[in-house]
Amino acid sequence: MLEELSQRKVLAIIRADGAEAALRCIRTLVDAGITALEVSLTTPDALDAITRARPQLPPSVLLGAGTVLTAGQADAASAAGAGFVVTPGLTQGARRAAAGGTPLLCGALTPTEVISALDLGASAVKVFPAGLHGPRYLRELRAPLPEAPLVAVGGIDAATAPAYLAAGAVAVGVGSPLLGGAGSSGSRQAQDDLAARAATLLEAVGSRRAAADHHRGAEGR
């Protein structure tokens, strides 16, 4: 998971009004070239969206469950087909995922929390909320922890993402600045706008060619 995230650079965080809206966003983002996606469990019927989306997507697409708080949620996410689990902190869900061998992106902010997440067995550490302190904080974290795989999440958009990557993040997680109104609107325009924001984000982080290559591959399937 860590290797894939570091190559793809962007993790899309999907929060939507329900399973259908989440599915629309997943399809739009994958078609646009973003192939690492997290469906937050704050989305009603999020696990249903993951279950339905997984067989529709190429195996190369990383699809996980986010905002996993409890052990039961971690188990349900795995049963739904989530390929990884994302937590806002050192939750019971994080512990269950790690114990069960599910790739874990564990939330942390302080050096102690980052070390605890890695000791738990996290594949990478979600520095959240990264926007509270900015890229400089990420750089300071990496000074004593140069090998820590950090994913910056919270308050990041296409304009600020490159600075976090330059500060040493292996990837950035982007939610509402990317999704906009697409998670609550069923209009074609909302999805077109989402695709445009995805393209802008990928170009900002240097993944434009990867997006184009993925799109060509999808057309050939």
Side-chain angles (χ1 to χ4, degrees), residues 110-112 114-115 118 138 140-150:
T110 67
T112 297
V114 170
I115 292 167
L118 293 173
L138 200 78
E140 294 291 340
L141 268 180
R142 292 191 72 251
L145 301 168
E147 302 302 319
L150 306 179

Side-chain angles (χ1 to χ4, degrees), residues 1 9-10 23 46 72 91 101 113 130 170 199:
M1 177 182 172
K9 299 182 182 178
V10 171
L23 282 166
T91 66
E113 291 171 348
V170 297

Side-chain angles (χ1 to χ4, degrees), residues 195-213:
R197 288 190 294 272
T200 299
L201 177 59
L202 288 171
E203 185 171 7
V205 301
S207 292
R208 188 176 187 183
R209 172 177 286 185
D213 289 347

Side-chain angles (χ1 to χ4, degrees), residues 1 74-75 78 82-85 93-104 120-121 123:
M1 177 182 172
D75 291 341
S78 179
F84 60 94
V85 158
R95 292 181 172 87
R96 177 62 64 87
T102 301
L104 170 66
L120 185 65
S123 300

Side-chain angles (χ1 to χ4, degrees), residues 3-26:
E3 181 180 354
E4 293 294 336
L5 278 177
S6 64
Q7 290 176 359
R8 304 183 196 204
K9 299 182 182 178
V10 171
L11 173 66
I13 302 168
I14 298 170
R15 296 183 182 90
D17 285 353
E20 291 297 334
L23 282 166
R24 285 193 296 269
C25 292
I26 291 169

Side-chain angles (χ1 to χ4, degrees), residues 165-212:
L165 295 172
V170 297
V172 293
V174 186
S176 55
L178 173 60
L179 267 288
S184 57
S185 172
S187 72
R188 181 67 259 172
Q189 186 60 54
Q191 296 302 314
D192 289 344
D193 291 344
L194 173 58
R197 288 190 294 272
T200 299
L201 177 59
L202 288 171
E203 185 171 7
V205 301
S207 292
R208 188 176 187 183
R209 172 177 286 185

